[in-house]
Amino acid sequence: MTTAILPALAAEARAVVHRLPGEVCVCGRGDAVLADRADATVVRHGGVVAKAHAEDTDPGDLAVRLGVAARMGDVLLAPAATTATRLHGRLVTFWPHGTPVDRDDPDSAPWEAAATLLARLHATPPDALPHPLPPMRGPVKAARAVARLRAAGPHSAAPAVLGAWAGLPPWARAEAPSPGTSRLCHGDLHLGQLVRAPEGHWLLIDVDDLGGGDPAWDLARPAAWFACGLLSPAEWTRFLEAYRSAGGPAVPADGADPWPALDVPARALTVQTAALAIAKAVAADRPLDEVEEALVDACARMGGVDARPPELGQDATK
């Protein structure tokens, strides 16, 4: 299904490029396929990126999310148009191309930029946002990852992950609304969701999960990586201090222990990542690698009274 849409999507991207004033034709260089999955097919042609969203994307929710991105061009990459088109039964949006994070240079990871952008996103006044705002889809994505794990078939690591999932509160499993004050959230924050604009500053991309919810969810993946030993204390500290310095409301601003706010979302992201890792390993008929084993081990430890790493209990910003 995704492969069938690629030629049509590339043609749409070329058409948009050719309509833009001052855009240099790059047709002789071909198109770049950036993603080809059931939930996102993405093609780049010149300075334009065309994205075919998942088949079950709600058009009303996507329209609201596009509108938010268009208004917040200093935080989110603004779309080339605030309306989506239909192609092969899927909603398609168009975006300017930005330079992604260099995966081969982890030392240059823009942790401070990511944290600052999140803080500004979370601090957006409610009266500056459309109403009603769709819910942030982070818990939904976690639930889908667990469903994918269950559908993958038996695996020796699955019980630890499913046990950790069962121990989460209903809201983290997408079975109830998020508690507390709802704020504008990205919903799927990782370094692959940042691009550098031509002007040189970083912006967040991918609005598919944008919406109202618990802002701690956007900090949960770095927190989970830190708790699993996959992110160094120095990198975690850079991220957390930058978020606090920018006035981010998800954690206490006074340097107090952030883990009470981050614990449940971090556990949920650990389960989500481990579930996807196992499902992919089963599909490829391969063993789990070292990182994936660390995630499963973290799920197995979640039954303890306090699964936080020692540094978090001692204020990791110091």
Side-chain angles (χ1 to χ4, degrees):
M1 179 64 184
T2 56
T3 302
I5 201 174
L6 279 172
L9 191 63
E12 291 289 325
R14 288 194 295 273
V16 171
V17 169
H18 294 166
R19 290 197 299 267
L20 294 176
E23 189 72 32
V24 178
C25 180
V26 295
C27 289
R29 305 177 198 170
D31 308 301
V33 179
L34 306 182
D36 186 16
R37 307 185 306 269
D39 64 335
T41 304
V42 186
V43 175
R44 176 193 174 190
H45 186 81
V48 171
V49 173
K51 178 175 183 177
H53 299 259
E55 290 183 352
D56 62 352
T57 298
D58 183 281
D61 289 350
L62 180 58
V64 172
R65 291 171 170 132
L66 291 172
V68 171
R71 296 185 211 180
M72 300 187 63
D74 59 339
V75 176
L76 297 161
L77 183 70
T82 55
T83 56
T85 61
R86 281 204 175 269
L87 187 66
H88 287 247
R90 291 169 66 176
L91 293 169
V92 173
T93 54
F94 300 94
W95 307 81
H97 177 258
T99 303
V101 174
D102 186 353
R103 295 184 179 182
D104 296 327
D105 186 11
D107 291 338
S108 67
W111 289 114
E112 291 88 351
T116 300
L117 289 170
L118 283 181
R120 291 161 64 186
L121 190 74
H122 297 163
T124 305
D127 57 6
L129 297 170
H131 183 79
L133 188 68
M136 179 266 292
R137 295 179 68 252
V140 170
K141 294 196 75 168
R144 288 184 175 181
V146 172
R148 183 173 169 182
L149 169 64
R150 290 187 169 121
H155 190 282
S156 60
V161 178
L162 294 175
W165 178 251
L168 293 170
W171 75 267
R173 302 195 306 261
E175 297 171 0
S178 297
T181 302
S182 178
R183 295 184 179 272
L184 180 61
C185 303
H186 182 274
D188 188 28
L189 189 281
H190 53 81
L191 290 179
Q193 305 288 33
L194 281 89
V195 297
R196 194 184 289 277
E199 297 79 13
H201 57 280
W202 291 100
L203 293 169
L204 295 171
I205 62 170
D206 190 356
V207 299
D208 285 337
D209 303 306
L210 187 79
D214 181 356
W217 197 277
D218 284 343
L219 280 66
R221 187 174 268 109
W225 289 347
F226 172 51
C228 295
L230 304 176
L231 185 69
S232 72
E235 289 172 311
W236 168 249
T237 297
R238 286 167 50 197
F239 177 81
L240 189 61
E241 286 188 341
Y243 182 82
R244 281 173 160 160
S245 296
V251 295
D254 58 2
D257 182 7
W259 200 246
L262 299 177
D263 180 58
V264 168
R267 290 171 186 257
L269 262 295
T270 303
V271 171
Q272 174 183 326
T273 310
L276 290 176
I278 296 171
K280 291 177 181 178
V282 170
D285 192 22
R286 63 167 178 79
L288 298 178
D289 62 26
E290 184 177 355
V291 170
E292 293 165 341
E293 289 281 7
L295 292 165
V296 173
D297 289 345
C299 290
R301 293 194 301 269
M302 285 185 188
V305 175
D306 188 353
R308 81 185 76 185
E311 294 92 338
L312 278 176
Q314 300 167 6
D315 187 354
T317 65
K318 299 302 182 184

